[in-house]
Amino acid sequence: MSGQRPVWFSHRFLSAMGAPGPRTLWTLCVCFTALRTNALRVTMRESAVEVVRGDFVILPCSFFTSSPLSRLNIIWTLAPFSSPESPIQVIVYDHGQIIEDPSLIGRVGFTGIPWSADIMVNDTRVSDAGIYRCMVNNPPETADPGIGELLLTVLVAPSLPACQWDGNMDAGGSVTLSCSVAEGVPTPEMRWDKLNPEEISLPINMEGELSGSVQIVNVSSQTSGLYRCSTSNVLGTENCYVNLSVYSAVAGSSSGILQGVLLTLSMSLMLLALLVLVTWLHRTGQDGPWRVSKEEEEEEEGYNVIRYTPSLMKRSFV
Ligand SMILES: *[C@@H]1O[C@H](CO)[C@@H](O)[C@H](O)[C@H]1NC(C)=O
Ligand SMILES: *[C@@H]1O[C@H](CO)[C@@H](O)[C@H](O)[C@H]1NC(C)=O
Ligand SMILES: *[C@@H]1O[C@H](CO)[C@@H](O)[C@H](O)[C@H]1NC(C)=O
Protein backbone atom coordinates (compact mmCIF):
# COMPACT_ATOMS: atom_id res chain seq x y z
CA MET A 1 0.00 0.00 0.00
CA SER A 2 2.65 2.47 1.04
CA GLY A 3 4.82 1.41 -1.88
CA GLN A 4 2.08 2.10 -4.27
CA ARG A 5 0.96 5.29 -2.61
CA PRO A 6 3.91 7.30 -1.36
CA VAL A 7 1.76 9.52 0.74
CA TRP A 8 1.98 11.44 4.00
CA PHE A 9 -0.99 9.96 5.68
CA SER A 10 -2.83 11.99 8.15
CA HIS A 11 -2.20 10.89 11.69
CA ARG A 12 -5.88 10.40 12.13
CA PHE A 13 -6.08 8.26 9.06
CA LEU A 14 -3.18 6.03 10.15
CA SER A 15 -4.55 5.61 13.64
CA ALA A 16 -7.89 4.85 12.21
CA MET A 17 -6.37 2.16 9.99
CA GLY A 18 -4.26 0.65 12.72
CA ALA A 19 -6.54 0.91 15.69
CA PRO A 20 -8.22 -2.28 16.85
CA GLY A 21 -11.59 -2.55 18.51
CA PRO A 22 -11.71 -0.68 21.83
CA ARG A 23 -11.08 2.93 20.76
CA THR A 24 -13.36 2.45 17.84
CA LEU A 25 -16.11 4.90 18.43
CA TRP A 26 -13.85 7.96 18.50
CA THR A 27 -11.55 6.56 15.79
CA LEU A 28 -14.39 5.68 13.51
CA CYS A 29 -15.85 9.08 13.97
CA VAL A 30 -12.54 10.68 13.04
CA CYS A 31 -12.09 8.21 10.19
CA PHE A 32 -15.52 8.91 8.95
CA THR A 33 -14.85 12.62 9.06
CA ALA A 34 -11.54 12.17 7.23
CA LEU A 35 -13.04 9.99 4.59
CA ARG A 36 -16.08 12.11 4.23
CA THR A 37 -14.09 15.29 3.67
CA ASN A 38 -11.25 13.40 1.94
CA ALA A 39 -9.33 16.64 1.88
CA LEU A 40 -5.69 17.56 1.67
CA ARG A 41 -4.51 19.60 4.61
CA VAL A 42 -1.51 21.85 4.84
CA THR A 43 0.18 22.46 8.19
CA MET A 44 2.82 25.08 8.85
CA ARG A 45 5.03 23.79 11.66
CA GLU A 46 5.99 27.38 12.42
CA SER A 47 4.16 30.62 11.86
CA ALA A 48 7.22 32.86 12.07
CA VAL A 49 10.85 32.19 11.23
CA GLU A 50 13.88 34.38 11.74
CA VAL A 51 17.19 34.16 9.94
CA VAL A 52 20.32 36.26 10.05
CA ARG A 53 21.03 37.77 6.65
CA GLY A 54 23.38 35.56 4.68
CA ASP A 55 22.46 32.39 6.53
CA PHE A 56 20.23 29.70 5.12
CA VAL A 57 16.72 29.04 6.34
CA ILE A 58 14.25 26.18 6.06
CA LEU A 59 10.66 27.20 5.56
CA PRO A 60 8.52 24.33 6.77
CA CYS A 61 5.30 23.24 5.11
CA SER A 62 3.77 19.84 5.68
CA PHE A 63 0.80 18.43 3.89
CA PHE A 64 -1.36 15.42 4.48
CA THR A 65 -3.04 13.70 1.64
CA SER A 66 -4.51 10.30 0.94
CA SER A 67 -4.25 10.42 -2.83
CA PRO A 68 -1.34 9.44 -5.09
CA LEU A 69 1.19 12.18 -5.67
CA SER A 70 1.25 11.96 -9.45
CA ARG A 71 -0.62 15.23 -9.84
CA LEU A 72 0.93 16.98 -6.86
CA ASN A 73 1.27 20.71 -7.30
CA ILE A 74 3.04 23.01 -4.85
CA ILE A 75 3.39 26.77 -5.14
CA TRP A 76 5.31 28.96 -2.71
CA THR A 77 4.61 32.66 -2.96
CA LEU A 78 6.17 35.59 -1.18
CA ALA A 79 4.60 38.96 -0.41
CA PRO A 80 7.79 40.85 0.43
CA PHE A 81 7.65 43.42 3.25
CA SER A 82 9.24 45.83 0.80
CA SER A 83 6.43 45.47 -1.74
CA PRO A 84 3.51 43.50 -0.25
CA GLU A 85 1.19 44.29 -3.13
CA SER A 86 3.37 42.51 -5.69
CA PRO A 87 3.89 38.92 -4.56
CA ILE A 88 6.24 36.64 -6.43
CA GLN A 89 6.19 32.91 -7.06
CA VAL A 90 9.24 31.74 -5.17
CA ILE A 91 9.22 28.15 -6.37
CA VAL A 92 6.76 25.85 -8.04
CA TYR A 93 6.57 22.08 -8.15
CA ASP A 94 4.30 20.83 -10.89
CA HIS A 95 4.12 17.26 -12.20
CA GLY A 96 7.69 16.64 -11.11
CA GLN A 97 9.00 19.87 -12.59
CA ILE A 98 10.55 22.61 -10.47
CA ILE A 99 10.49 26.27 -11.46
CA GLU A 100 12.18 29.00 -9.41
CA ASP A 101 11.69 32.73 -9.47
CA PRO A 102 14.57 34.39 -11.37
CA SER A 103 15.47 36.43 -8.29
CA LEU A 104 15.96 33.22 -6.30
CA ILE A 105 17.54 30.90 -8.85
CA GLY A 106 20.27 28.86 -7.22
CA ARG A 107 19.22 29.95 -3.75
CA VAL A 108 15.95 28.15 -3.25
CA GLY A 109 15.08 24.48 -3.36
CA PHE A 110 12.72 21.85 -1.96
CA THR A 111 14.26 19.73 0.74
CA GLY A 112 11.95 16.72 0.73
CA ILE A 113 9.89 16.78 -2.40
CA PRO A 114 7.46 15.11 -2.90
CA TRP A 115 7.05 13.99 0.71
CA SER A 116 7.11 17.46 2.11
CA ALA A 117 6.81 20.95 0.73
CA ASP A 118 9.61 22.36 2.90
CA ILE A 119 11.94 24.71 1.10
CA MET A 120 15.40 25.97 1.86
CA VAL A 121 16.61 29.45 1.01
CA ASN A 122 20.36 29.98 0.95
CA ASP A 123 22.31 33.19 1.28
CA THR A 124 19.26 35.09 2.57
CA ARG A 125 18.77 38.75 1.73
CA VAL A 126 16.65 41.49 3.26
CA SER A 127 14.40 41.31 0.21
CA ASP A 128 13.56 37.69 1.11
CA ALA A 129 11.67 38.87 4.19
CA GLY A 130 7.91 38.82 4.02
CA ILE A 131 4.88 36.60 4.14
CA TYR A 132 5.32 33.21 2.52
CA ARG A 133 2.39 31.09 1.44
CA CYS A 134 2.63 27.41 0.73
CA MET A 135 -0.17 26.18 -1.52
CA VAL A 136 -0.55 22.47 -2.09
CA ASN A 137 -2.91 20.76 -4.48
CA ASN A 138 -3.21 17.07 -5.10
CA PRO A 139 -6.14 16.40 -7.38
CA PRO A 140 -8.63 14.93 -7.17
CA GLU A 141 -8.44 15.75 -3.46
CA THR A 142 -9.88 19.01 -2.40
CA ALA A 143 -7.85 21.14 -0.07
CA ASP A 144 -8.99 22.01 3.43
CA PRO A 145 -7.23 24.33 3.60
CA GLY A 146 -4.53 23.86 1.04
CA ILE A 147 -2.69 26.98 2.05
CA GLY A 148 -0.34 27.67 4.90
CA GLU A 149 1.29 30.95 5.78
CA LEU A 150 4.46 31.95 7.57
CA LEU A 151 6.35 35.13 8.20
CA LEU A 152 10.06 35.30 7.50
CA THR A 153 12.18 37.95 9.17
CA VAL A 154 15.71 38.51 7.93
CA LEU A 155 17.76 39.99 10.77
CA VAL A 156 20.48 42.50 10.00
CA ALA A 157 23.06 43.89 12.40
CA PRO A 158 23.10 47.70 12.60
CA SER A 159 25.45 49.29 10.10
CA LEU A 160 28.11 51.73 11.23
CA PRO A 161 26.24 54.96 12.07
CA ALA A 162 27.38 58.35 10.78
CA CYS A 163 27.92 61.08 13.39
CA GLN A 164 27.84 64.79 12.54
CA TRP A 165 27.71 68.08 14.35
CA ASP A 166 26.50 71.43 13.19
CA GLY A 167 26.12 74.83 14.80
CA ASN A 168 28.03 77.51 16.62
CA MET A 169 30.74 76.29 18.91
CA ASP A 170 31.38 79.68 20.47
CA ALA A 171 30.37 79.97 24.10
CA GLY A 172 26.65 80.74 24.27
CA GLY A 173 25.97 79.22 20.83
CA SER A 174 23.96 76.09 20.12
CA VAL A 175 25.03 72.85 18.53
CA THR A 176 23.16 69.92 17.00
CA LEU A 177 24.64 66.45 17.07
CA SER A 178 23.10 64.11 14.55
CA CYS A 179 23.44 60.42 13.95
CA SER A 180 22.07 58.20 11.22
CA VAL A 181 22.27 54.51 10.56
CA ALA A 182 21.68 53.01 7.13
CA GLU A 183 20.24 49.64 8.12
CA GLY A 184 19.44 47.19 10.84
CA VAL A 185 16.64 44.66 11.47
CA PRO A 186 15.00 44.89 13.90
CA THR A 187 15.24 48.67 13.76
CA PRO A 188 18.25 49.62 15.86
CA GLU A 189 17.79 51.53 19.08
CA MET A 190 19.70 54.77 18.98
CA ARG A 191 21.19 56.67 21.88
CA TRP A 192 23.57 59.58 22.44
CA ASP A 193 25.89 59.74 25.41
CA LYS A 194 28.45 62.26 26.57
CA LEU A 195 31.41 60.22 27.69
CA ASN A 196 33.45 62.61 29.79
CA PRO A 197 34.03 63.79 32.39
CA GLU A 198 31.41 61.19 33.38
CA GLU A 199 29.07 59.26 31.13
CA ILE A 200 25.63 60.80 30.79
CA SER A 201 22.77 59.94 28.50
CA LEU A 202 21.36 62.76 26.37
CA PRO A 203 17.75 63.29 25.29
CA ILE A 204 17.41 62.35 21.64
CA ASN A 205 14.95 63.55 19.01
CA MET A 206 14.27 60.85 16.47
CA GLU A 207 13.77 61.94 12.88
CA GLY A 208 12.25 58.83 11.41
CA GLU A 209 13.48 55.47 12.62
CA LEU A 210 17.06 55.65 11.50
CA SER A 211 18.31 59.05 12.54
CA GLY A 212 18.28 61.01 15.75
CA SER A 213 19.75 64.25 17.00
CA VAL A 214 20.65 66.01 20.20
CA GLN A 215 20.33 69.76 20.67
CA ILE A 216 22.77 71.54 22.95
CA VAL A 217 21.93 75.19 23.62
CA ASN A 218 24.08 77.84 25.31
CA VAL A 219 27.30 75.87 24.93
CA SER A 220 30.00 76.48 27.48
CA SER A 221 33.38 74.99 28.24
CA GLN A 222 31.50 72.17 29.99
CA THR A 223 30.03 71.23 26.61
CA SER A 224 33.46 70.19 25.35
CA GLY A 225 34.11 66.49 25.32
CA LEU A 226 33.60 63.23 23.54
CA TYR A 227 30.08 62.25 22.46
CA ARG A 228 29.00 58.81 21.29
CA CYS A 229 26.06 57.69 19.20
CA SER A 230 25.21 54.00 19.63
CA THR A 231 22.92 51.96 17.43
CA SER A 232 22.06 48.50 18.62
CA ASN A 233 19.71 45.60 18.05
CA VAL A 234 19.74 41.90 18.93
CA LEU A 235 22.64 41.31 16.56
CA GLY A 236 25.01 43.92 17.94
CA THR A 237 26.02 47.50 18.54
CA GLU A 238 27.88 50.02 16.41
CA ASN A 239 29.14 53.42 17.55
CA CYS A 240 30.32 56.69 16.08
CA TYR A 241 31.84 59.63 17.93
CA VAL A 242 31.99 63.41 17.92
CA ASN A 243 34.68 65.30 19.77
CA LEU A 244 33.47 68.79 20.62
CA SER A 245 35.80 71.58 21.73
CA VAL A 246 34.04 74.79 22.68
CA TYR A 247 36.22 77.68 21.65
CA SER A 248 36.74 79.09 25.10
CA ALA A 249 39.65 80.96 23.42
CA VAL A 250 37.05 83.28 21.89
CA ALA A 251 35.39 83.79 25.26
CA GLY A 252 38.86 84.29 26.79
CA SER A 253 39.86 86.92 24.25
CA SER A 254 36.63 88.89 24.68
CA SER A 255 37.05 88.91 28.44
CA GLY A 256 40.71 89.74 27.79
CA ILE A 257 39.61 92.76 25.79
CA LEU A 258 37.34 93.73 28.64
CA GLN A 259 40.18 93.32 31.08
CA GLY A 260 42.44 95.37 28.84
CA VAL A 261 39.89 98.13 28.60
CA LEU A 262 39.43 98.13 32.37
CA LEU A 263 43.18 98.14 32.90
CA THR A 264 43.68 101.05 30.51
CA LEU A 265 40.84 102.92 32.15
CA SER A 266 42.17 102.46 35.66
CA MET A 267 45.68 103.33 34.54
CA SER A 268 44.41 106.53 32.93
CA LEU A 269 42.55 107.34 36.12
CA MET A 270 45.68 106.78 38.16
CA LEU A 271 47.69 108.96 35.78
CA LEU A 272 45.05 111.64 35.99
CA ALA A 273 45.10 111.45 39.78
CA LEU A 274 48.89 111.67 39.76
CA LEU A 275 48.74 114.66 37.45
CA VAL A 276 46.22 116.37 39.70
CA LEU A 277 48.36 115.61 42.71
CA VAL A 278 51.52 116.93 41.06
CA THR A 279 49.74 120.06 39.91
CA TRP A 280 48.32 120.59 43.37
CA LEU A 281 51.67 120.03 45.00
CA HIS A 282 53.29 122.40 42.56
CA ARG A 283 50.68 125.05 43.33
CA THR A 284 50.88 124.63 47.05
CA GLY A 285 54.67 124.70 46.74
CA GLN A 286 54.39 128.18 45.16
CA ASP A 287 51.70 129.46 47.51
CA GLY A 288 52.79 127.96 50.80
CA PRO A 289 56.46 128.72 51.50
CA TRP A 290 56.46 126.89 54.79
CA ARG A 291 56.64 123.49 53.14
CA VAL A 292 59.18 124.01 50.38
CA SER A 293 62.33 124.64 52.35
CA LYS A 294 62.67 124.84 56.07
CA GLU A 295 66.27 125.90 55.73
CA GLU A 296 65.33 128.89 53.63
CA GLU A 297 62.51 129.62 55.98
CA GLU A 298 64.80 129.78 58.89
CA GLU A 299 67.53 131.66 57.17
CA GLU A 300 65.63 134.21 55.13
CA GLU A 301 62.14 134.60 56.38
CA GLY A 302 62.77 133.60 59.93
CA TYR A 303 63.77 137.11 60.58
CA ASN A 304 60.66 139.03 59.99
CA VAL A 305 57.76 136.71 59.25
CA ILE A 306 58.00 133.84 61.60
CA ARG A 307 59.68 135.58 64.35
CA TYR A 308 57.54 134.36 67.14
CA THR A 309 57.02 130.80 66.21
CA PRO A 310 60.12 129.42 64.67
CA SER A 311 60.53 126.60 67.15
CA LEU A 312 56.85 125.77 66.93
CA MET A 313 57.02 125.56 63.18
CA LYS A 314 60.05 123.44 63.41
CA ARG A 315 58.53 121.12 65.94
CA SER A 316 55.38 120.59 64.03
CA PHE A 317 57.06 119.79 60.74
CA VAL A 318 60.17 117.91 61.73
C1 LIG B 1 22.29 25.70 -0.03
O1 LIG B 1 23.62 25.49 0.43
C2 LIG B 1 23.86 24.18 0.84
C3 LIG B 1 25.25 24.12 1.44
O2 LIG B 1 26.03 25.21 1.08
C4 LIG B 1 23.72 23.24 -0.35
O3 LIG B 1 23.94 21.90 0.05
C5 LIG B 1 22.31 23.36 -0.87
O4 LIG B 1 22.16 22.61 -2.03
C6 LIG B 1 21.99 24.80 -1.21
N1 LIG B 1 20.59 24.90 -1.53
C7 LIG B 1 20.16 25.54 -2.59
C8 LIG B 1 18.71 25.58 -2.77
O5 LIG B 1 20.91 26.08 -3.40
C1 LIG C 1 24.12 80.42 29.46
O1 LIG C 1 25.07 79.88 30.34
C2 LIG C 1 25.60 80.82 31.24
C3 LIG C 1 26.70 80.15 32.04
O2 LIG C 1 26.69 78.82 31.91
C4 LIG C 1 24.50 81.34 32.12
O3 LIG C 1 25.01 82.30 33.02
C5 LIG C 1 23.41 81.97 31.25
O4 LIG C 1 22.34 82.37 32.04
C6 LIG C 1 22.95 80.97 30.23
N1 LIG C 1 22.05 81.65 29.31
C7 LIG C 1 20.90 81.11 28.98
C8 LIG C 1 20.08 81.91 28.01
O5 LIG C 1 20.52 80.05 29.42
C1 LIG D 1 39.18 65.69 21.56
O1 LIG D 1 39.71 66.97 21.24
C2 LIG D 1 40.58 67.49 22.21
C3 LIG D 1 40.99 68.89 21.80
O2 LIG D 1 40.99 69.05 20.43
C4 LIG D 1 41.79 66.57 22.35
O3 LIG D 1 42.64 67.05 23.35
C5 LIG D 1 41.30 65.19 22.73
O4 LIG D 1 42.37 64.29 22.79
C6 LIG D 1 40.28 64.69 21.75
N1 LIG D 1 39.77 63.43 22.22
C7 LIG D 1 39.59 62.39 21.43
C8 LIG D 1 39.09 61.17 22.06
O5 LIG D 1 39.86 62.44 20.24
PDB file of all heavy atoms in Angstrom, residues 56 106-109 120-122, ligand 1:
ATOM      1  N   PHE A  56      21.307  30.382   5.819  1.00  0.00           N
ATOM      2  CA  PHE A  56      20.227  29.697   5.116  1.00  0.00           C
ATOM      3  C   PHE A  56      19.062  29.502   6.081  1.00  0.00           C
ATOM      4  O   PHE A  56      19.235  29.572   7.303  1.00  0.00           O
ATOM      5  CB  PHE A  56      20.707  28.346   4.561  1.00  0.00           C
ATOM      6  CG  PHE A  56      20.831  27.274   5.604  1.00  0.00           C
ATOM      7  CD1 PHE A  56      19.744  26.471   5.928  1.00  0.00           C
ATOM      8  CD2 PHE A  56      22.038  27.050   6.260  1.00  0.00           C
ATOM      9  CE1 PHE A  56      19.849  25.486   6.895  1.00  0.00           C
ATOM     10  CE2 PHE A  56      22.146  26.075   7.228  1.00  0.00           C
ATOM     11  CZ  PHE A  56      21.049  25.281   7.548  1.00  0.00           C
ATOM     12  N   GLY A 106      19.028  29.295  -7.863  1.00  0.00           N
ATOM     13  CA  GLY A 106      20.271  28.863  -7.222  1.00  0.00           C
ATOM     14  C   GLY A 106      20.276  29.052  -5.712  1.00  0.00           C
ATOM     15  O   GLY A 106      21.191  28.614  -5.040  1.00  0.00           O
ATOM     16  N   ARG A 107      19.249  29.740  -5.195  1.00  0.00           N
ATOM     17  CA  ARG A 107      19.221  29.955  -3.753  1.00  0.00           C
ATOM     18  C   ARG A 107      18.075  29.223  -3.067  1.00  0.00           C
ATOM     19  O   ARG A 107      18.047  29.137  -1.851  1.00  0.00           O
ATOM     20  CB  ARG A 107      19.095  31.455  -3.441  1.00  0.00           C
ATOM     21  CG  ARG A 107      20.275  32.289  -3.845  1.00  0.00           C
ATOM     22  CD  ARG A 107      20.288  33.615  -3.113  1.00  0.00           C
ATOM     23  NE  ARG A 107      19.127  34.442  -3.404  1.00  0.00           N
ATOM     24  CZ  ARG A 107      18.325  34.964  -2.477  1.00  0.00           C
ATOM     25  NH1 ARG A 107      18.558  34.742  -1.200  1.00  0.00           N
ATOM     26  NH2 ARG A 107      17.296  35.710  -2.820  1.00  0.00           N
ATOM     27  N   VAL A 108      17.130  28.770  -3.850  1.00  0.00           N
ATOM     28  CA  VAL A 108      15.948  28.152  -3.251  1.00  0.00           C
ATOM     29  C   VAL A 108      15.767  26.733  -3.796  1.00  0.00           C
ATOM     30  O   VAL A 108      16.076  26.463  -4.959  1.00  0.00           O
ATOM     31  CB  VAL A 108      14.682  29.012  -3.492  1.00  0.00           C
ATOM     32  CG1 VAL A 108      14.335  29.107  -4.966  1.00  0.00           C
ATOM     33  CG2 VAL A 108      13.505  28.493  -2.684  1.00  0.00           C
ATOM     34  N   GLY A 109      15.318  25.849  -2.924  1.00  0.00           N
ATOM     35  CA  GLY A 109      15.075  24.481  -3.358  1.00  0.00           C
ATOM     36  C   GLY A 109      14.203  23.742  -2.360  1.00  0.00           C
ATOM     37  O   GLY A 109      14.113  24.130  -1.190  1.00  0.00           O
ATOM     38  N   MET A 120      14.213  25.410   1.240  1.00  0.00           N
ATOM     39  CA  MET A 120      15.399  25.974   1.860  1.00  0.00           C
ATOM     40  C   MET A 120      15.781  27.190   1.027  1.00  0.00           C
ATOM     41  O   MET A 120      15.738  27.148  -0.202  1.00  0.00           O
ATOM     42  CB  MET A 120      16.501  24.921   1.773  1.00  0.00           C
ATOM     43  CG  MET A 120      17.853  25.363   2.238  1.00  0.00           C
ATOM     44  SD  MET A 120      19.049  24.093   1.781  1.00  0.00           S
ATOM     45  CE  MET A 120      20.083  24.114   3.217  1.00  0.00           C
ATOM     46  N   VAL A 121      16.111  28.268   1.715  1.00  0.00           N
ATOM     47  CA  VAL A 121      16.605  29.454   1.013  1.00  0.00           C
ATOM     48  C   VAL A 121      18.019  29.717   1.511  1.00  0.00           C
ATOM     49  O   VAL A 121      18.239  29.857   2.713  1.00  0.00           O
ATOM     50  CB  VAL A 121      15.711  30.692   1.249  1.00  0.00           C
ATOM     51  CG1 VAL A 121      16.261  31.909   0.510  1.00  0.00           C
ATOM     52  CG2 VAL A 121      14.272  30.400   0.841  1.00  0.00           C
ATOM     53  N   ASN A 122      18.951  29.735   0.607  1.00  0.00           N
ATOM     54  CA  ASN A 122      20.365  29.976   0.951  1.00  0.00           C
ATOM     55  C   ASN A 122      20.695  31.452   0.797  1.00  0.00           C
ATOM     56  O   ASN A 122      20.038  32.157   0.034  1.00  0.00           O
ATOM     57  CB  ASN A 122      21.277  29.190   0.000  1.00  0.00           C
ATOM     58  CG  ASN A 122      21.471  27.756   0.463  1.00  0.00           C
ATOM     59  OD1 ASN A 122      21.087  27.391   1.571  1.00  0.00           O
ATOM     60  ND2 ASN A 122      22.091  26.956  -0.390  1.00  0.00           N
TER      61      ASN A 122
HETATM   62  C1  LIG B   1      22.288  25.701  -0.029  1.00  0.00           C
HETATM   63  O1  LIG B   1      23.620  25.494   0.425  1.00  0.00           O
HETATM   64  C2  LIG B   1      23.860  24.178   0.839  1.00  0.00           C
HETATM   65  C3  LIG B   1      25.245  24.119   1.441  1.00  0.00           C
HETATM   66  O2  LIG B   1      26.027  25.209   1.080  1.00  0.00           O
HETATM   67  C4  LIG B   1      23.719  23.236  -0.349  1.00  0.00           C
HETATM   68  O3  LIG B   1      23.945  21.905   0.051  1.00  0.00           O
HETATM   69  C5  LIG B   1      22.308  23.360  -0.872  1.00  0.00           C
HETATM   70  O4  LIG B   1      22.157  22.608  -2.032  1.00  0.00           O
HETATM   71  C6  LIG B   1      21.986  24.803  -1.212  1.00  0.00           C
HETATM   72  N1  LIG B   1      20.587  24.904  -1.529  1.00  0.00           N
HETATM   73  C7  LIG B   1      20.162  25.535  -2.593  1.00  0.00           C
HETATM   74  C8  LIG B   1      18.707  25.578  -2.766  1.00  0.00           C
HETATM   75  O5  LIG B   1      20.915  26.076  -3.401  1.00  0.00           O
END
